[in-house]
Amino acid sequence: MDLRTLKLYKFPILMALSCAAFYFAFAYDLNRSDFFKLIGLYGALFFLSFKLIQQLKTKLKLLVILAVLFRLVFLFVLPNLSQDYFRFIWDGRLIAEGWNPYQYIPNDLIQLQTFNISQAKELIQGMGSLSAGHYSNYPPLNQLIFAIAGWISTSSILGSVIIFKLIIILADIGTFILGRKLLKSIGLPEHRIFWYILNPFIIIEMTGNLHFESVMVFLLILSLYLLHQKKWIWSAIIFGLSISIKLLPLMLLPLLFRFFTSDKTSLNFLKLIAYYLIIGITVIISFLPFYSHEIFSNFMASIGLWFGKFEFNASIYYLVRWIGFQVKGYNIIETAGKVLPLITFVAILGLSLFRKKMDFKRLIENMLFAVTVYLLLSTTVHPWYLAIPLMLSLFTEFRYMIVWTAVVFISYFAYSNPEFQENLWLVALEYFIVLFYIVKELKQGPKKVTIV
């Protein structure tokens, strides 16, 4: 390497080393209650990642190596921003011992004399009373991942965590390969994929905090890639598997109506029906190993909690809640939790039925808008929920999701106090910035708002 080349890479090397150091501090020397340190590290990582992508966007191999190395920093440490992994390990060990995670509440199960799994009390304590008091709400393919760790690592929490992280890293590598291919096939710049793969939001929330949206995104992108290649049967099967990781892709199904039926022929309509049927059959088959007469009611009861009981980092819902207090004098979450999803469904139907002829790019754009509406109307928006719309946005000219991932960590302020109380001024700041960019892009046209 000559002096000129060394000078060219001097600053990117320094930025990459700085990123590695900040990720190490994030993984090994951060308590989630230390909000200012958390937001300072995240802000620095986001800025440095932005610059790395900007300066090295033609050096794909180098950026891929950095993306993998940054993830490996988190490999041998327990998550420090989430405790969900205790429930993942619990469910996996249940399956490994022949118990059905959809049939038993952890607090009840641990009282049985016939029950015995390794580190049961530690797992119960770690997952917290809320999770320990309810049935599992994780779909069956997600449970299979938990079971893999349950079979391989029977008595080590860290061992199970390492297995989960390796699976997530492999999913992200798959997302890079497929996302890059899909970008190229529809005539978009390949380097856009790094706004997912090298985004500190994805690295921290997926590999660092063990959220399996990463696997769901991989399967969804694989399904979309196969659909673009006109391999619609395999696309439908993989789409069903993505739903069996997380349920969120279900809301995207109505958008396929216009895509399949833009050319109004009976053959295309039959393909649409077949596509839906294959997805449905795939999801049903994935549930069969866990089948019992109470599985549906238990699973749906746990899912229903998210709409009728929980509230976190919401936007429009918090305004509705405030109005409810003024009018009714109490929290109207149970009513709002039923009405807001209906509004979301109507909005998605509008995107499905009333937009003009839909090509593949318009399909992904509509999917982005659908998930955005869902998040803006949700009672609970955890940071990791942004993974799907972030990925979808890379195949459009809209960049507001990149902005949202830059500011979403503001929501972690809630963990800086013992009562886990949100600062609504900070929540308002987050959504003001996000909505500003959404409105600006919709008004001026996305190509006029330059971020990358």
Side-chain angles (χ1 to χ4, degrees), residues 16-68:
L17 291 174
S18 297
C19 279
F22 290 146
Y23 278 124
F24 188 88
F26 211 108
Y28 294 89
D29 191 35
L30 176 67
N31 189 308
R32 70 179 183 178
S33 63
D34 190 347
F35 175 72
F36 292 104
K37 183 175 182 179
L38 184 155
I39 206 68
L41 285 171
Y42 185 73
L45 283 166
F46 208 95
F47 173 78
L48 291 171
S49 298
F50 172 88
K51 287 299 181 182
L52 279 172
I53 297 170
Q54 189 179 57
Q55 294 188 23
L56 299 177
K57 61 185 179 182
T58 60
K59 310 295 181 182
L60 299 186
K61 290 183 179 179
L62 179 57
L63 289 178
V64 171
I65 291 171
L66 290 176
V68 173

Side-chain angles (χ1 to χ4, degrees), residues 121-137:
K121 290 183 179 179
E122 189 175 349
L123 293 173
I124 288 277
Q125 184 178 4
M127 72 177 70
S129 59
L130 187 62
S131 180
H134 294 93
Y135 298 103
S136 181
N137 65 344

Side-chain angles (χ1 to χ4, degrees), residues 135-156:
Y135 298 103
S136 181
N137 65 344
Y138 300 103
L141 194 55
N142 217 163
Q143 296 286 355
L144 175 60
I145 296 173
F146 304 160
I148 291 171
W151 290 318
I152 297 174
S153 179
T154 58
S155 58
S156 170

Side-chain angles (χ1 to χ4, degrees), residues 264-275:
K264 297 179 180 179
T265 66
S266 58
L267 179 60
N268 285 336
F269 186 75
L270 290 174
K271 280 185 180 179
L272 172 68
I273 299 301
Y275 196 89

Side-chain angles (χ1 to χ4, degrees), residues 229-296:
Q229 299 298 312
K230 304 189 184 305
K231 299 176 181 179
W232 60 272
I233 295 177
W234 281 108
S235 172
I237 293 171
I238 301 300
F239 202 109
L241 293 179
S242 74
I243 293 170
S244 194
I245 289 287
K246 298 284 182 177
L247 298 181
L248 192 142
L250 273 172
M251 75 172 64
L252 304 178
L253 292 180
L255 300 171
L256 294 165
F257 173 81
R258 182 67 69 186
F259 178 75
F260 273 92
T261 60
S262 290
D263 296 324
K264 297 179 180 179
T265 66
S266 58
L267 179 60
N268 285 336
F269 186 75
L270 290 174
K271 280 185 180 179
L272 172 68
I273 299 301
Y275 196 89
Y276 286 154
L277 285 174
I278 293 170
I279 291 173
I281 291 169
T282 302
V283 174
I284 291 170
I285 290 174
S286 72
F287 272 98
L288 288 181
F290 301 98
Y291 177 76
S292 68
H293 67 276
E294 68 266 76
I295 179 178
F296 182 76

Side-chain angles (χ1 to χ4, degrees), residues 7-23:
K7 186 177 181 180
L8 178 66
Y9 281 99
K10 179 180 177 181
F11 289 109
I13 289 172
L14 290 175
M15 288 190 290
L17 291 174
S18 297
C19 279
F22 290 146
Y23 278 124

Side-chain angles (χ1 to χ4, degrees), residues 185-363:
S185 66
I186 60 179
L188 295 175
E190 298 174 67
H191 73 268
R192 287 188 182 186
I193 193 62
F194 290 105
W195 270 111
Y196 182 89
I197 298 301
L198 208 57
N199 193 321
F201 158 74
I202 294 296
I203 294 173
I204 292 169
E205 286 294 3
M206 306 305 145
T207 305
N209 293 327
L210 284 183
H211 295 297
F212 287 93
E213 274 75 6
S214 204
V215 181
M216 172 187 62
V217 166
F218 163 66
L219 292 171
L220 182 62
I221 290 300
L222 174 56
S223 175
L224 290 173
Y225 177 75
L226 291 169
L227 185 62
H228 186 255
Q229 299 298 312
K230 304 189 184 305
K231 299 176 181 179
W232 60 272
I233 295 177
W234 281 108
S235 172
I237 293 171
I238 301 300
F239 202 109
L241 293 179
S242 74
I243 293 170
S244 194
I245 289 287
K246 298 284 182 177
L247 298 181
L248 192 142
L250 273 172
M251 75 172 64
L252 304 178
L253 292 180
L255 300 171
L256 294 165
F257 173 81
R258 182 67 69 186
F259 178 75
F260 273 92
T261 60
S262 290
D263 296 324
K264 297 179 180 179
T265 66
S266 58
L267 179 60
N268 285 336
F269 186 75
L270 290 174
K271 280 185 180 179
L272 172 68
I273 299 301
Y275 196 89
Y276 286 154
L277 285 174
I278 293 170
I279 291 173
I281 291 169
T282 302
V283 174
I284 291 170
I285 290 174
S286 72
F287 272 98
L288 288 181
F290 301 98
Y291 177 76
S292 68
H293 67 276
E294 68 266 76
I295 179 178
F296 182 76
S297 59
N298 292 348
F299 183 72
M300 293 310 296
S302 293
I303 294 297
L305 287 171
W306 293 101
F307 295 99
K309 298 293 183 184
F310 299 154
E311 49 189 25
F312 178 77
N313 193 36
S315 54
I316 293 174
Y317 161 70
Y318 280 166
L319 294 176
V320 172
R321 184 183 67 177
W322 180 81
I323 294 172
F325 273 116
Q326 307 308 307
V327 176
K328 296 289 187 178
Y330 59 86
N331 192 335
I332 61 170
I333 185 172
E334 291 195 13
T335 302
K338 296 174 182 177
V339 174
L340 292 176
L342 288 177
I343 297 174
T344 301
F345 180 69
V346 170
I348 292 173
L349 283 182
L351 289 171
S352 306
L353 300 177
F354 300 117
R355 297 199 82 181
K356 295 180 180 179
K357 183 175 180 179
M358 191 184 301
D359 58 13
F360 188 78
K361 286 186 178 180
R362 180 62 64 86
L363 172 65

